[in-house]
Amino acid sequence: MNIRDFETRVRYKIRGWYGRQEYEDLAVQRIINLREEYHALLSTSKREGLASLLDYLDECGFYYRPSSADRHHNYPGGLAEHCLGVYRKMASENLSGLDEESILIVGLFHDLCKCDMFYFVGRSIHAHKRDGHGRRSVRILRRYGVPLSGEEYRAIRYHMGRSDNPKRLKDPDFAKAVKEPLRIAVNKADHEDAAEACSRAKRK
């Protein structure tokens, strides 16, 4: 999708959220910048399937969607902003020597499942019902031909939830994932980025 068509689509989808044209203009430019950063980061990767996946991100509205209806990053562009924030935290705090490309893929796409979940109606956020948080994210990646290592799969699939949950620990894949550095890193970064966003929102 060319940049003009992308901008037109974003403006249509977030219409009514800001009320004032100058605020909408700033938001649209921020969303365009998020898209450009995704493209720049992923251009460094030789992972298969990324070109098709990037086309899908435009089509599904990934860059302008919020990350939640009433929690963190609940505004236009919040989903991509959150995923970039998680990636940056993982990359900057990589004390375990994790593979940089694994950090890139897991950080940027851990919440890919939200790509078509939330939508705007004026000043309100509504949600389509979608099942399977991490499970759906890895399913979308595979649909577009993006291969994942076992540890990458488990990090995305099980990035949510406490590592000491007795019920979930009965699942051998979850029990394995919570001990792996990549899953530990994305779980930590996810919580930290969400908490920081909530804190910023309270100060406004």
Side-chain angles (χ1 to χ4, degrees):
M1 186 181 296
N2 66 51
I3 194 64
R4 181 173 294 179
D5 290 344
F6 178 78
E7 179 178 345
T8 299
R9 183 184 178 91
V10 170
R11 287 189 183 280
Y12 175 74
K13 293 297 185 178
I14 70 171
R15 185 175 55 190
W17 177 265
Y18 288 98
R20 295 176 60 175
Q21 187 64 48
E22 59 265 39
Y23 295 156
E24 181 182 299
D25 291 344
L26 289 171
V28 170
Q29 187 57 57
R30 176 172 51 82
I31 291 166
I32 289 172
N33 292 344
L34 288 168
R35 180 179 184 260
E36 289 177 349
E37 187 166 0
Y38 254 77
H39 279 249
L41 285 168
L42 292 169
S43 70
T44 66
S45 173
K46 296 181 179 179
R47 190 75 60 107
E48 294 178 3
L50 290 179
S52 296
L53 182 63
L54 284 170
D55 288 341
Y56 174 68
L57 297 187
D58 281 346
E59 291 300 323
C60 72
F62 178 87
Y63 301 107
Y64 67 76
R65 304 271 183 191
S67 185
S68 67
D70 55 6
R71 297 171 63 200
H72 66 90
H73 297 89
N74 56 335
Y75 48 81
L79 175 56
E81 192 173 285
H82 169 58
C83 291
L84 277 167
V86 169
Y87 160 70
R88 292 188 190 114
K89 283 184 177 296
M90 291 177 71
S92 65
E93 300 173 9
N94 185 17
L95 302 178
S96 302
L98 296 171
D99 179 75
E100 291 182 4
E101 186 161 283
S102 290
I103 290 176
L104 182 70
I105 298 299
V106 171
L108 293 184
F109 298 120
H110 74 284
D111 270 352
L112 180 56
C113 54
K114 297 179 180 179
C115 58
D116 59 358
M117 184 179 295
F118 301 106
Y119 61 98
F120 301 100
V121 179
R123 286 285 298 168
S124 300
I125 297 175
H126 297 250
H128 297 293
K129 182 174 175 56
R130 299 284 189 264
D131 295 325
H133 191 95
R135 183 188 301 113
R136 188 162 180 264
S137 292
V138 294
R139 194 160 59 232
I140 294 170
L141 287 167
R142 287 176 166 175
R143 182 193 309 160
Y144 288 91
V146 180
L148 298 171
S149 69
E151 191 170 354
E152 289 167 352
Y153 167 86
R154 288 186 293 275
I156 296 172
R157 170 70 178 83
Y158 299 109
H159 75 269
M160 295 281 288
R162 292 170 56 97
S163 59
D164 60 351
N165 184 315
K167 184 176 180 180
R168 296 195 73 191
L169 285 170
K170 293 179 181 178
D171 177 348
D173 273 353
F174 180 79
K176 184 175 184 178
V178 297
K179 298 176 182 177
E180 293 178 320
L182 190 59
R183 190 271 178 184
I184 293 170
V186 68
N187 178 262
K188 179 175 181 288
D190 187 26
H191 282 285
E192 289 178 352
D193 190 69
E196 289 172 9
C198 290
S199 179
R200 289 194 298 271
K202 288 179 181 178
R203 291 198 297 269
K204 288 184 179 180

